[in-house]
DNA sequence: GATTTTACCGAAAACGTTTTCGATTTCGTA
DNA sequence: TACGAAATCGAAAACGTTTTCGGTAAAATC
């Protein structure tokens, strides 16, 4: 009934606990014979080291924490998958918590993870997070932490991101290249860096092409829902009949807009061209299929863990690490919601 | 630098470690005065109990494991969210692993969790899992485990499910009630219980209504993708021109089919009515919106954890638990992919 | 045969907590 | 004053592992 321990093996073999431990861990100072004996008995008794004891002794749990704003979200769940798959390969398990886009909750979850003494932390910031003391405190304690996607530029730690500004620039430029003259932007919330950068990329593309930047063409939404896309599509039709292109912060909203335009008989891309962001799998399914920016979530998760792993290793060897910014490549996926560029 | 321990507090206060521990944990045999002193110092020193030591001593980690076939999936990510949110309320953290619908991986992940000595396990079986020794072994060891969604009826443990057969029956009956005379079924893989039950519900509805059950109208798919929906829609049009209703195993595939029918100019619901399964949020977004069965993922996650929690408590009090089958209510969500029932 | 080297083993401390149980002090009451 | 009860405290064991360090026995060297 009780799980078998080193002591059990030692006693039945008439040797010391020390030797058993060393035999199992491949220490050189134990004879071939006893090593074989120990390993065999451990096998037949189905011995599994008590993780709690190992944790206490080694001061590490081979467990990392992950804080994410929202689990039910295609992009984030892809990231989770990337993290979990990579962590598993290196023998790490991952504890998931959700901040629900709340700063307060984010702090609380971080605290939980620290109390559990996870070896390291992966985090994508909540939209509302503007104060970073909870993060810098952790860094000060020497606990490895890496941010991804929704990051804070000001905080000194490793990050894995995409170049939102460049990607948004590319998206907007594509609208311009395919003949759009008046381009609106469905922007995300005011705060998170992504949202800001995508907006800036949009704006810069306009300016670089000598097109007027008109603030009234920027629609801000807090909730990234399908319905918001529908609503903004209606607004555009009502308020700006001359708009012939829209760069949307995220695919889901873009698809909502497409649905509404379809319903109203507005021709895409002839009358209005649309570019989304994320390359959600539904964007190739909708009619017309959505031109969008591919945002590699799975890859981001993998890279984020890999970086954290490096820092965990470094910490073990008492080496210091210089924070690293990993920028993943994005690409424009041309589909049928924009015209052909000649 | 080093985290503060009970010893640190004891030494600066000139009392024993025992008393400090008792003061913090509210034992009655410590005076108001020292209790206050200890608590205050603990506060100012920001003392956090070493989770590793607590784990070792108490033989529990306040951590549970969760194994899921696929993280990037709307239904499952809803379940995850339900589990995590509920677990957090009770002070539990959750470790997520993914079986990738592989039996071998499932076994391996279960092993990992057992080695980590999680307090309990939540699992939704992989499609390929037909042998359950890895599960019963765990039950035999007295570790609480509860299954959800994709379960094994034969295994004696608590489960939280929906009545797939009944829901499928309702869905099919709705097609019949709205005038469909020849109803096809896009069925999931052969193995998992859900897939079987939904098929059986479909079949029973036909028989109960004196309609012919025609095996050639049942299309089996292994991958639940949008593309499969498109493909089967084409097949239906090619092979069975008289089909006027389809009950589809899952919304994503149904939406693929709708897209293809739209493309081909087949009128929904006039020429072909469609009912899906899951109530994925996109099913209200597509045109025509999809009539479907609402499958409460978040709720399922919550209930699954609650049941596990009960069993964890029971185990602590050395009480035995009788496995419980929790059946969640589903409902038919009528939308525009089926006709009005008069 | 004496000495050094090598191979092998185990005692013991340590990680930080929880909890039992016995010891001491304080208090109330006769 | 004396005695029992109540209040308060601490020593010590225990959880199971890892690792240092010293010790003994065997093998190698001269």
């Amino acid at each position: 009934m009780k799980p078998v321990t080193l002591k059990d093996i030692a006693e039945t073999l008439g040797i010391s606990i020390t030797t058993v431990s060393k035999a199992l861990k491949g220490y050189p100072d134990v004879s071939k014979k006893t090593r074989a004996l120990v390993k065999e008995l451990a096998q037949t008794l189905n011995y599994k080291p008590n993780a709690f004891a190992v944790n206490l002794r080694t001061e590490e749990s081979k467990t990392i924490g992950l804080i994410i704003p929202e689990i039910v979200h295609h992009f984030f769940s892809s990231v989770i998958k990337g993290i979990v798959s990579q962590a598993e390969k290196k023998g790490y398990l991952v504890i998931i918590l959700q901040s629900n886009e709340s700063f307060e909750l984010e702090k609380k979850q971080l605290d939980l993870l620290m109390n559990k003494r996870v070896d390291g932390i992966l985090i994508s910031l909540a939209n509302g997070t503007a104060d970073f003391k909870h993060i810098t405190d952790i860094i000060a304690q020497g606990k490895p932490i890496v941010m991804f996607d929704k990051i804070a530029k000001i905080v000194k730690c490793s990050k894995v991101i995409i170049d939102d500004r460049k990607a948004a620039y590319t998206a907007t430029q594509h609208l311009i290249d395919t003949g759009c003259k008046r381009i609106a932007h469905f922007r995300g919330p005011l705060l998170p860096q992504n949202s800001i950068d995508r907006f800036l990329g949009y704006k810069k593309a306009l300016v670089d092409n000598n097109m007027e930047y008109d603030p009234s063409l920027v629609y801000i939404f807090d909730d990234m829902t399908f319905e918001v896309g529908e609503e903004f599509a209606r607004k555009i039709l009502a308020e700006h009949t001359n708009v012939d292109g829209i760069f949307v912060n995220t695919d889901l909203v873009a698809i909502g807009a497409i649905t509404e335009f379809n319903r109203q008989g507005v021709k895409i891309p002839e009358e209005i061209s649309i570019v989304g962001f994320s390359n959600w799998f539904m964007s190739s399914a909708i009619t017309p299929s959505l031109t969008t920016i591919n945002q590699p979530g799975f890859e981001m998760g993998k890279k984020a863990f890999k970086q954290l792993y490096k820092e965990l290793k470094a910490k073990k060897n008492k080496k210091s690490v210089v924070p690293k910014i990993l920028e993943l490549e994005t690409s424009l996926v041309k589909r049928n919601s924009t015209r052909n560029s000649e």
Side-chain angles (χ1 to χ4, degrees), chain A:
Chain A
M1 199 68 243
K2 279 244 130 194
V4 13
T5 69
L6 289 183
K7 196 176 163 193
D8 298 331
I9 298 182
E11 278 173 0
T12 53
L13 247 43
I15 57 178
S16 79
I17 294 177
T18 307
T19 306
V20 175
S21 173
K22 287 202 253 189
L24 290 173
K25 301 202 72 200
Y27 274 61
D29 61 343
V30 37
S31 70
K32 296 261 175 223
K33 210 174 67 182
T34 53
R35 185 200 312 285
L37 240 49
V38 169
K39 285 201 170 176
E40 197 195 320
L41 187 57
Q43 180 87 35
T44 57
L45 292 185
N46 193 28
Y47 166 77
K48 306 283 168 158
N50 183 321
F52 299 154
V54 177
N55 290 348
L56 178 60
R57 180 57 224 236
T58 61
E59 269 302 322
E60 62 168 12
S61 58
K62 294 277 186 181
T63 304
I64 65 161
L66 167 62
I67 297 180
I68 224 156
E70 170 66 54
I71 293 173
V72 187
H73 187 290
H74 188 261
F75 174 71
F76 282 131
S77 61
S78 302
V79 178
I80 296 176
K81 184 170 175 170
I83 292 170
V84 170
S85 71
Q86 197 61 31
E88 205 199 312
K89 277 189 196 157
K90 300 293 188 181
Y92 279 80
L93 295 182
V94 11
I95 290 174
I96 295 199
L97 285 169
Q98 173 176 287
S99 69
N100 248 319
E101 298 286 9
S102 148
F103 171 58
E104 289 305 324
L105 214 51
E106 183 177 295
K107 279 200 294 189
K108 191 185 147 203
Q109 316 291 38
L110 222 41
D111 220 47
L112 277 178
L113 292 178
M114 290 304 282
N115 291 348
K116 275 279 166 179
R117 281 180 155 74
V118 292
D119 297 345
I121 291 174
L122 254 26
I123 187 172
S124 186
L125 263 27
N127 281 342
T129 300
D131 174 21
F132 309 113
K133 189 171 178 310
H134 57 313
I135 309 278
T136 52
D137 279 356
I138 288 173
I139 297 172
Q141 285 178 52
K143 179 131 312 193
I145 183 169
V146 358
M147 295 186 176
F148 62 90
D149 193 52
K150 302 209 288 182
I151 58 132
K153 288 194 174 167
I154 209 177
V155 176
K156 288 267 176 294
C157 69
S158 290
K159 295 151 198 157
V160 18
I161 49 174
I162 58 170
D163 190 337
D164 282 284
R165 200 180 301 204
K166 191 174 102 189
Y169 188 98
T170 304
T172 312
Q173 186 66 50
H174 175 66
L175 286 169
I176 298 169
D177 290 345
T178 54
C180 295
K181 300 296 179 201
R182 194 157 172 78
I183 301 173
H185 176 37
F186 291 178
R187 169 184 173 159
L190 281 176
L191 244 180
Q193 197 62 48
N194 313 31
S195 179
I196 296 171
D197 285 339
R198 290 179 200 174
F199 163 68
L200 291 176
Y202 153 80
K203 191 169 165 185
K204 185 156 194 302
L206 293 185
V207 173
D208 285 1
N209 287 273
N210 297 315
M211 290 170 69
E212 182 203 1
Y213 160 63
D214 179 355
S216 75
L217 292 184
V218 176
Y219 289 73
I220 295 176
F221 51 88
D222 281 326
D223 298 323
M224 314 227 240
T225 65
F226 182 87
E227 287 76 17
V228 163
E230 295 178 301
E231 179 193 334
F232 280 6
R234 281 191 294 272
K235 272 197 180 171
I236 281 278
L237 293 178
E239 300 171 2
H240 297 280
T241 48
N242 55 348
V243 163
D244 58 0
I246 312 176
F247 166 52
V248 186
N249 180 282
T250 188
D251 279 358
L252 180 57
V253 176
I255 289 176
I258 287 180
T259 304
E260 182 64 21
F261 285 134
N262 280 344
R263 205 174 286 144
Q264 307 254 353
V266 176
K267 289 211 163 51
I268 305 171
E270 293 78 6
E271 300 179 45
I272 292 190
S273 297
I274 300 181
V275 180
F277 206 108
S278 280
N279 198 21
W280 182 35
F281 73 98
M282 275 303 289
S283 54
S284 64
I286 193 114
T287 312
S289 58
L290 179 65
T291 294
T292 189
I293 297 288
N294 185 54
Q295 191 186 9
F298 184 79
E299 195 62 24
M300 185 173 275
K302 276 178 71 171
K303 284 273 168 60
F305 178 82
K306 278 186 176 175
Q307 180 60 28
L308 185 64
Y309 182 72
K310 269 189 202 166
E311 304 196 359
L312 291 172
K313 284 275 151 250
K315 192 189 173 193
K316 240 186 166 175
N317 302 334
K318 310 218 178 289
K319 287 187 183 174
S320 65
V321 278
V322 284
K324 218 168 167 182
I325 311 287
L326 297 173
E327 215 171 77
L328 265 50
E329 284 305 312
T330 55
S331 59
L332 180 72
V333 182
K334 295 182 192 173
R335 296 209 184 89
N336 300 324
S337 65
T338 52
R339 283 171 290 224
N340 290 333
S341 37
E342 72 263 31

